[in-house]
mmCIF file with all atom_site columns, all heavy atoms in Angstrom:
data_model
loop_
_atom_site.group_PDB
_atom_site.id
_atom_site.type_symbol
_atom_site.label_atom_id
_atom_site.label_alt_id
_atom_site.label_comp_id
_atom_site.label_asym_id
_atom_site.label_entity_id
_atom_site.label_seq_id
_atom_site.pdbx_PDB_ins_code
_atom_site.Cartn_x
_atom_site.Cartn_y
_atom_site.Cartn_z
_atom_site.occupancy
_atom_site.B_iso_or_equiv
_atom_site.pdbx_formal_charge
_atom_site.auth_seq_id
_atom_site.auth_comp_id
_atom_site.auth_asym_id
_atom_site.auth_atom_id
_atom_site.pdbx_PDB_model_num
ATOM 1   N N   . GLN A 1 214 ? -7.242  -40.513 -4.962  1.00 0.00 ? 238 GLN A N   1
ATOM 2   C CA  . GLN A 1 214 ? -6.642  -41.833 -4.760  1.00 0.00 ? 238 GLN A CA  1
ATOM 3   C C   . GLN A 1 214 ? -7.015  -42.756 -5.925  1.00 0.00 ? 238 GLN A C   1
ATOM 4   O O   . GLN A 1 214 ? -8.156  -42.821 -6.339  1.00 0.00 ? 238 GLN A O   1
ATOM 5   C CB  . GLN A 1 214 ? -7.188  -42.406 -3.448  1.00 0.00 ? 238 GLN A CB  1
ATOM 6   C CG  . GLN A 1 214 ? -6.768  -43.831 -3.130  1.00 0.00 ? 238 GLN A CG  1
ATOM 7   C CD  . GLN A 1 214 ? -5.377  -43.894 -2.527  1.00 0.00 ? 238 GLN A CD  1
ATOM 8   O OE1 . GLN A 1 214 ? -4.971  -42.996 -1.784  1.00 0.00 ? 238 GLN A OE1 1
ATOM 9   N NE2 . GLN A 1 214 ? -4.631  -44.935 -2.860  1.00 0.00 ? 238 GLN A NE2 1
ATOM 10  N N   . TYR A 1 215 ? -6.028  -43.475 -6.458  1.00 0.00 ? 239 TYR A N   1
ATOM 11  C CA  . TYR A 1 215 ? -6.285  -44.406 -7.560  1.00 0.00 ? 239 TYR A CA  1
ATOM 12  C C   . TYR A 1 215 ? -7.022  -45.630 -7.046  1.00 0.00 ? 239 TYR A C   1
ATOM 13  O O   . TYR A 1 215 ? -6.585  -46.267 -6.090  1.00 0.00 ? 239 TYR A O   1
ATOM 14  C CB  . TYR A 1 215 ? -4.965  -44.826 -8.214  1.00 0.00 ? 239 TYR A CB  1
ATOM 15  C CG  . TYR A 1 215 ? -5.090  -45.984 -9.178  1.00 0.00 ? 239 TYR A CG  1
ATOM 16  C CD1 . TYR A 1 215 ? -5.882  -45.883 -10.319 1.00 0.00 ? 239 TYR A CD1 1
ATOM 17  C CD2 . TYR A 1 215 ? -4.412  -47.179 -8.943  1.00 0.00 ? 239 TYR A CD2 1
ATOM 18  C CE1 . TYR A 1 215 ? -6.002  -46.940 -11.202 1.00 0.00 ? 239 TYR A CE1 1
ATOM 19  C CE2 . TYR A 1 215 ? -4.521  -48.245 -9.829  1.00 0.00 ? 239 TYR A CE2 1
ATOM 20  C CZ  . TYR A 1 215 ? -5.312  -48.121 -10.956 1.00 0.00 ? 239 TYR A CZ  1
ATOM 21  O OH  . TYR A 1 215 ? -5.426  -49.165 -11.827 1.00 0.00 ? 239 TYR A OH  1
ATOM 22  N N   . ASP A 1 216 ? -8.154  -45.925 -7.676  1.00 0.00 ? 240 ASP A N   1
ATOM 23  C CA  . ASP A 1 216 ? -8.945  -47.080 -7.255  1.00 0.00 ? 240 ASP A CA  1
ATOM 24  C C   . ASP A 1 216 ? -9.023  -48.079 -8.401  1.00 0.00 ? 240 ASP A C   1
ATOM 25  O O   . ASP A 1 216 ? -9.773  -47.886 -9.357  1.00 0.00 ? 240 ASP A O   1
ATOM 26  C CB  . ASP A 1 216 ? -10.349 -46.594 -6.872  1.00 0.00 ? 240 ASP A CB  1
ATOM 27  C CG  . ASP A 1 216 ? -11.280 -47.746 -6.505  1.00 0.00 ? 240 ASP A CG  1
ATOM 28  O OD1 . ASP A 1 216 ? -10.854 -48.917 -6.588  1.00 0.00 ? 240 ASP A OD1 1
ATOM 29  O OD2 . ASP A 1 216 ? -12.434 -47.453 -6.135  1.00 0.00 ? 240 ASP A OD2 1
ATOM 30  N N   . PRO A 1 217 ? -8.254  -49.150 -8.332  1.00 0.00 ? 241 PRO A N   1
ATOM 31  C CA  . PRO A 1 217 ? -8.181  -50.115 -9.444  1.00 0.00 ? 241 PRO A CA  1
ATOM 32  C C   . PRO A 1 217 ? -9.542  -50.706 -9.791  1.00 0.00 ? 241 PRO A C   1
ATOM 33  O O   . PRO A 1 217 ? -9.752  -51.156 -10.914 1.00 0.00 ? 241 PRO A O   1
ATOM 34  C CB  . PRO A 1 217 ? -7.226  -51.201 -8.941  1.00 0.00 ? 241 PRO A CB  1
ATOM 35  C CG  . PRO A 1 217 ? -6.773  -50.808 -7.601  1.00 0.00 ? 241 PRO A CG  1
ATOM 36  C CD  . PRO A 1 217 ? -7.430  -49.533 -7.188  1.00 0.00 ? 241 PRO A CD  1
ATOM 37  N N   . SER A 1 218 ? -10.468 -50.694 -8.861  1.00 0.00 ? 242 SER A N   1
ATOM 38  C CA  . SER A 1 218 ? -11.766 -51.308 -9.164  1.00 0.00 ? 242 SER A CA  1
ATOM 39  C C   . SER A 1 218 ? -12.556 -50.469 -10.167 1.00 0.00 ? 242 SER A C   1
ATOM 40  O O   . SER A 1 218 ? -13.561 -50.919 -10.713 1.00 0.00 ? 242 SER A O   1
ATOM 41  C CB  . SER A 1 218 ? -12.578 -51.508 -7.880  1.00 0.00 ? 242 SER A CB  1
ATOM 42  O OG  . SER A 1 218 ? -13.116 -50.281 -7.448  1.00 0.00 ? 242 SER A OG  1
ATOM 43  N N   . LEU A 1 219 ? -12.118 -49.265 -10.400 1.00 0.00 ? 243 LEU A N   1
ATOM 44  C CA  . LEU A 1 219 ? -12.815 -48.422 -11.379 1.00 0.00 ? 243 LEU A CA  1
ATOM 45  C C   . LEU A 1 219 ? -12.293 -48.658 -12.792 1.00 0.00 ? 243 LEU A C   1
ATOM 46  O O   . LEU A 1 219 ? -12.842 -48.144 -13.759 1.00 0.00 ? 243 LEU A O   1
ATOM 47  C CB  . LEU A 1 219 ? -12.634 -46.936 -11.029 1.00 0.00 ? 243 LEU A CB  1
ATOM 48  C CG  . LEU A 1 219 ? -13.189 -46.470 -9.680  1.00 0.00 ? 243 LEU A CG  1
ATOM 49  C CD1 . LEU A 1 219 ? -13.006 -44.967 -9.526  1.00 0.00 ? 243 LEU A CD1 1
ATOM 50  C CD2 . LEU A 1 219 ? -14.671 -46.826 -9.561  1.00 0.00 ? 243 LEU A CD2 1
ATOM 51  N N   . VAL A 1 220 ? -11.225 -49.419 -12.898 1.00 0.00 ? 244 VAL A N   1
ATOM 52  C CA  . VAL A 1 220 ? -10.630 -49.649 -14.212 1.00 0.00 ? 244 VAL A CA  1
ATOM 53  C C   . VAL A 1 220 ? -11.001 -51.030 -14.745 1.00 0.00 ? 244 VAL A C   1
ATOM 54  O O   . VAL A 1 220 ? -10.724 -52.053 -14.104 1.00 0.00 ? 244 VAL A O   1
ATOM 55  C CB  . VAL A 1 220 ? -9.097  -49.515 -14.154 1.00 0.00 ? 244 VAL A CB  1
ATOM 56  C CG1 . VAL A 1 220 ? -8.500  -49.808 -15.527 1.00 0.00 ? 244 VAL A CG1 1
ATOM 57  C CG2 . VAL A 1 220 ? -8.705  -48.127 -13.678 1.00 0.00 ? 244 VAL A CG2 1
ATOM 58  N N   . LEU A 1 221 ? -11.662 -51.036 -15.884 1.00 0.00 ? 245 LEU A N   1
ATOM 59  C CA  . LEU A 1 221 ? -12.015 -52.308 -16.522 1.00 0.00 ? 245 LEU A CA  1
ATOM 60  C C   . LEU A 1 221 ? -11.283 -52.367 -17.856 1.00 0.00 ? 245 LEU A C   1
ATOM 61  O O   . LEU A 1 221 ? -11.038 -51.337 -18.489 1.00 0.00 ? 245 LEU A O   1
ATOM 62  C CB  . LEU A 1 221 ? -13.525 -52.375 -16.770 1.00 0.00 ? 245 LEU A CB  1
ATOM 63  C CG  . LEU A 1 221 ? -14.412 -52.287 -15.531 1.00 0.00 ? 245 LEU A CG  1
ATOM 64  C CD1 . LEU A 1 221 ? -15.883 -52.351 -15.932 1.00 0.00 ? 245 LEU A CD1 1
ATOM 65  C CD2 . LEU A 1 221 ? -14.080 -53.412 -14.561 1.00 0.00 ? 245 LEU A CD2 1
ATOM 66  N N   . ASN A 1 222 ? -10.969 -53.565 -18.278 1.00 0.00 ? 246 ASN A N   1
ATOM 67  C CA  . ASN A 1 222 ? -10.299 -53.712 -19.568 1.00 0.00 ? 246 ASN A CA  1
ATOM 68  C C   . ASN A 1 222 ? -11.170 -54.518 -20.507 1.00 0.00 ? 246 ASN A C   1
ATOM 69  O O   . ASN A 1 222 ? -11.743 -55.522 -20.114 1.00 0.00 ? 246 ASN A O   1
ATOM 70  C CB  . ASN A 1 222 ? -8.960  -54.405 -19.377 1.00 0.00 ? 246 ASN A CB  1
ATOM 71  C CG  . ASN A 1 222 ? -8.033  -53.592 -18.510 1.00 0.00 ? 246 ASN A CG  1
ATOM 72  O OD1 . ASN A 1 222 ? -7.639  -52.488 -18.879 1.00 0.00 ? 246 ASN A OD1 1
ATOM 73  N ND2 . ASN A 1 222 ? -7.725  -54.098 -17.321 1.00 0.00 ? 246 ASN A ND2 1
ATOM 74  N N   . MET A 1 223 ? -11.282 -54.061 -21.731 1.00 0.00 ? 247 MET A N   1
ATOM 75  C CA  . MET A 1 223 ? -12.175 -54.748 -22.666 1.00 0.00 ? 247 MET A CA  1
ATOM 76  C C   . MET A 1 223 ? -11.714 -54.574 -24.107 1.00 0.00 ? 247 MET A C   1
ATOM 77  O O   . MET A 1 223 ? -10.827 -53.749 -24.389 1.00 0.00 ? 247 MET A O   1
ATOM 78  C CB  . MET A 1 223 ? -13.590 -54.206 -22.509 1.00 0.00 ? 247 MET A CB  1
ATOM 79  C CG  . MET A 1 223 ? -13.707 -52.715 -22.716 1.00 0.00 ? 247 MET A CG  1
ATOM 80  S SD  . MET A 1 223 ? -15.290 -52.084 -22.112 1.00 0.00 ? 247 MET A SD  1
ATOM 81  C CE  . MET A 1 223 ? -15.042 -52.219 -20.331 1.00 0.00 ? 247 MET A CE  1
ATOM 82  N N   . ASN A 1 224 ? -12.314 -55.333 -24.990 1.00 0.00 ? 248 ASN A N   1
ATOM 83  C CA  . ASN A 1 224 ? -11.981 -55.210 -26.405 1.00 0.00 ? 248 ASN A CA  1
ATOM 84  C C   . ASN A 1 224 ? -12.606 -53.947 -26.977 1.00 0.00 ? 248 ASN A C   1
ATOM 85  O O   . ASN A 1 224 ? -13.627 -53.484 -26.474 1.00 0.00 ? 248 ASN A O   1
ATOM 86  C CB  . ASN A 1 224 ? -12.504 -56.422 -27.174 1.00 0.00 ? 248 ASN A CB  1
ATOM 87  C CG  . ASN A 1 224 ? -11.747 -57.671 -26.801 1.00 0.00 ? 248 ASN A CG  1
ATOM 88  O OD1 . ASN A 1 224 ? -10.522 -57.663 -26.668 1.00 0.00 ? 248 ASN A OD1 1
ATOM 89  N ND2 . ASN A 1 224 ? -12.478 -58.757 -26.602 1.00 0.00 ? 248 ASN A ND2 1
ATOM 90  N N   . PRO A 1 225 ? -12.019 -53.422 -28.019 1.00 0.00 ? 249 PRO A N   1
ATOM 91  C CA  . PRO A 1 225 ? -12.523 -52.182 -28.607 1.00 0.00 ? 249 PRO A CA  1
ATOM 92  C C   . PRO A 1 225 ? -13.765 -52.437 -29.454 1.00 0.00 ? 249 PRO A C   1
ATOM 93  O O   . PRO A 1 225 ? -13.774 -52.212 -30.654 1.00 0.00 ? 249 PRO A O   1
ATOM 94  C CB  . PRO A 1 225 ? -11.350 -51.699 -29.457 1.00 0.00 ? 249 PRO A CB  1
ATOM 95  C CG  . PRO A 1 225 ? -10.625 -52.943 -29.836 1.00 0.00 ? 249 PRO A CG  1
ATOM 96  C CD  . PRO A 1 225 ? -10.827 -53.905 -28.706 1.00 0.00 ? 249 PRO A CD  1
ATOM 97  N N   . GLU A 1 226 ? -14.825 -52.916 -28.814 1.00 0.00 ? 250 GLU A N   1
ATOM 98  C CA  . GLU A 1 226 ? -16.055 -53.227 -29.531 1.00 0.00 ? 250 GLU A CA  1
ATOM 99  C C   . GLU A 1 226 ? -17.244 -52.626 -28.813 1.00 0.00 ? 250 GLU A C   1
ATOM 100 O O   . GLU A 1 226 ? -17.235 -52.482 -27.591 1.00 0.00 ? 250 GLU A O   1
ATOM 101 C CB  . GLU A 1 226 ? -16.250 -54.749 -29.623 1.00 0.00 ? 250 GLU A CB  1
ATOM 102 C CG  . GLU A 1 226 ? -15.109 -55.505 -30.279 1.00 0.00 ? 250 GLU A CG  1
ATOM 103 C CD  . GLU A 1 226 ? -14.925 -55.165 -31.759 1.00 0.00 ? 250 GLU A CD  1
ATOM 104 O OE1 . GLU A 1 226 ? -15.862 -54.592 -32.355 1.00 0.00 ? 250 GLU A OE1 1
ATOM 105 O OE2 . GLU A 1 226 ? -13.835 -55.441 -32.294 1.00 0.00 ? 250 GLU A OE2 1
ATOM 106 N N   . ILE A 1 227 ? -18.281 -52.316 -29.573 1.00 0.00 ? 251 ILE A N   1
ATOM 107 C CA  . ILE A 1 227 ? -19.496 -51.740 -29.014 1.00 0.00 ? 251 ILE A CA  1
ATOM 108 C C   . ILE A 1 227 ? -20.054 -52.635 -27.914 1.00 0.00 ? 251 ILE A C   1
ATOM 109 O O   . ILE A 1 227 ? -20.350 -52.186 -26.805 1.00 0.00 ? 251 ILE A O   1
ATOM 110 C CB  . ILE A 1 227 ? -20.561 -51.546 -30.119 1.00 0.00 ? 251 ILE A CB  1
ATOM 111 C CG1 . ILE A 1 227 ? -20.093 -50.493 -31.128 1.00 0.00 ? 251 ILE A CG1 1
ATOM 112 C CG2 . ILE A 1 227 ? -21.899 -51.125 -29.503 1.00 0.00 ? 251 ILE A CG2 1
ATOM 113 C CD1 . ILE A 1 227 ? -21.035 -50.269 -32.297 1.00 0.00 ? 251 ILE A CD1 1
ATOM 114 N N   . GLU A 1 228 ? -20.158 -53.900 -28.229 1.00 0.00 ? 252 GLU A N   1
ATOM 115 C CA  . GLU A 1 228 ? -20.712 -54.873 -27.290 1.00 0.00 ? 252 GLU A CA  1
ATOM 116 C C   . GLU A 1 228 ? -20.018 -54.882 -25.948 1.00 0.00 ? 252 GLU A C   1
ATOM 117 O O   . GLU A 1 228 ? -20.653 -54.990 -24.909 1.00 0.00 ? 252 GLU A O   1
ATOM 118 C CB  . GLU A 1 228 ? -20.561 -56.279 -27.867 1.00 0.00 ? 252 GLU A CB  1
ATOM 119 C CG  . GLU A 1 228 ? -21.705 -56.714 -28.712 1.00 0.00 ? 252 GLU A CG  1
ATOM 120 C CD  . GLU A 1 228 ? -21.462 -58.132 -29.155 1.00 0.00 ? 252 GLU A CD  1
ATOM 121 O OE1 . GLU A 1 228 ? -21.129 -58.997 -28.294 1.00 0.00 ? 252 GLU A OE1 1
ATOM 122 O OE2 . GLU A 1 228 ? -21.556 -58.370 -30.357 1.00 0.00 ? 252 GLU A OE2 1
ATOM 123 N N   . ASP A 1 229 ? -18.705 -54.828 -25.995 1.00 0.00 ? 253 ASP A N   1
ATOM 124 C CA  . ASP A 1 229 ? -17.960 -54.880 -24.746 1.00 0.00 ? 253 ASP A CA  1
ATOM 125 C C   . ASP A 1 229 ? -18.292 -53.685 -23.866 1.00 0.00 ? 253 ASP A C   1
ATOM 126 O O   . ASP A 1 229 ? -18.470 -53.819 -22.650 1.00 0.00 ? 253 ASP A O   1
ATOM 127 C CB  . ASP A 1 229 ? -16.457 -54.944 -25.027 1.00 0.00 ? 253 ASP A CB  1
ATOM 128 C CG  . ASP A 1 229 ? -16.040 -56.286 -25.581 1.00 0.00 ? 253 ASP A CG  1
ATOM 129 O OD1 . ASP A 1 229 ? -16.595 -56.691 -26.622 1.00 0.00 ? 253 ASP A OD1 1
ATOM 130 O OD2 . ASP A 1 229 ? -15.178 -56.940 -24.977 1.00 0.00 ? 253 ASP A OD2 1
ATOM 131 N N   . GLY A 1 230 ? -18.395 -52.526 -24.487 1.00 0.00 ? 254 GLY A N   1
ATOM 132 C CA  . GLY A 1 230 ? -18.736 -51.333 -23.725 1.00 0.00 ? 254 GLY A CA  1
ATOM 133 C C   . GLY A 1 230 ? -20.146 -51.438 -23.164 1.00 0.00 ? 254 GLY A C   1
ATOM 134 O O   . GLY A 1 230 ? -20.403 -51.114 -22.003 1.00 0.00 ? 254 GLY A O   1
ATOM 135 N N   . TYR A 1 231 ? -21.024 -51.936 -24.003 1.00 0.00 ? 255 TYR A N   1
ATOM 136 C CA  . TYR A 1 231 ? -22.429 -52.071 -23.602 1.00 0.00 ? 255 TYR A CA  1
ATOM 137 C C   . TYR A 1 231 ? -22.560 -53.007 -22.405 1.00 0.00 ? 255 TYR A C   1
ATOM 138 O O   . TYR A 1 231 ? -23.181 -52.681 -21.395 1.00 0.00 ? 255 TYR A O   1
ATOM 139 C CB  . TYR A 1 231 ? -23.228 -52.597 -24.784 1.00 0.00 ? 255 TYR A CB  1
ATOM 140 C CG  . TYR A 1 231 ? -24.662 -52.918 -24.456 1.00 0.00 ? 255 TYR A CG  1
ATOM 141 C CD1 . TYR A 1 231 ? -25.616 -51.906 -24.372 1.00 0.00 ? 255 TYR A CD1 1
ATOM 142 C CD2 . TYR A 1 231 ? -25.059 -54.226 -24.217 1.00 0.00 ? 255 TYR A CD2 1
ATOM 143 C CE1 . TYR A 1 231 ? -26.934 -52.196 -24.053 1.00 0.00 ? 255 TYR A CE1 1
ATOM 144 C CE2 . TYR A 1 231 ? -26.370 -54.533 -23.902 1.00 0.00 ? 255 TYR A CE2 1
ATOM 145 C CZ  . TYR A 1 231 ? -27.314 -53.515 -23.821 1.00 0.00 ? 255 TYR A CZ  1
ATOM 146 O OH  . TYR A 1 231 ? -28.610 -53.814 -23.503 1.00 0.00 ? 255 TYR A OH  1
ATOM 147 N N   . THR A 1 232 ? -21.970 -54.167 -22.538 1.00 0.00 ? 256 THR A N   1
ATOM 148 C CA  . THR A 1 232 ? -22.069 -55.172 -21.482 1.00 0.00 ? 256 THR A CA  1
ATOM 149 C C   . THR A 1 232 ? -21.481 -54.677 -20.166 1.00 0.00 ? 256 THR A C   1
ATOM 150 O O   . THR A 1 232 ? -22.095 -54.812 -19.097 1.00 0.00 ? 256 THR A O   1
ATOM 151 C CB  . THR A 1 232 ? -21.327 -56.453 -21.909 1.00 0.00 ? 256 THR A CB  1
ATOM 152 O OG1 . THR A 1 232 ? -21.765 -56.805 -23.209 1.00 0.00 ? 256 THR A OG1 1
ATOM 153 C CG2 . THR A 1 232 ? -21.589 -57.580 -20.944 1.00 0.00 ? 256 THR A CG2 1
#
Side-chain angles (χ1 to χ4, degrees):
Chain A
Q238 175 81 34
Y239 169 62
D240 176 358
S242 76
L243 298 183
V244 178
L245 299 179
N246 298 296
M247 57 194 72
N248 291 318
E250 303 295 343
I251 294 177
E252 271 183 49
D253 288 57
Y255 174 79
T256 310

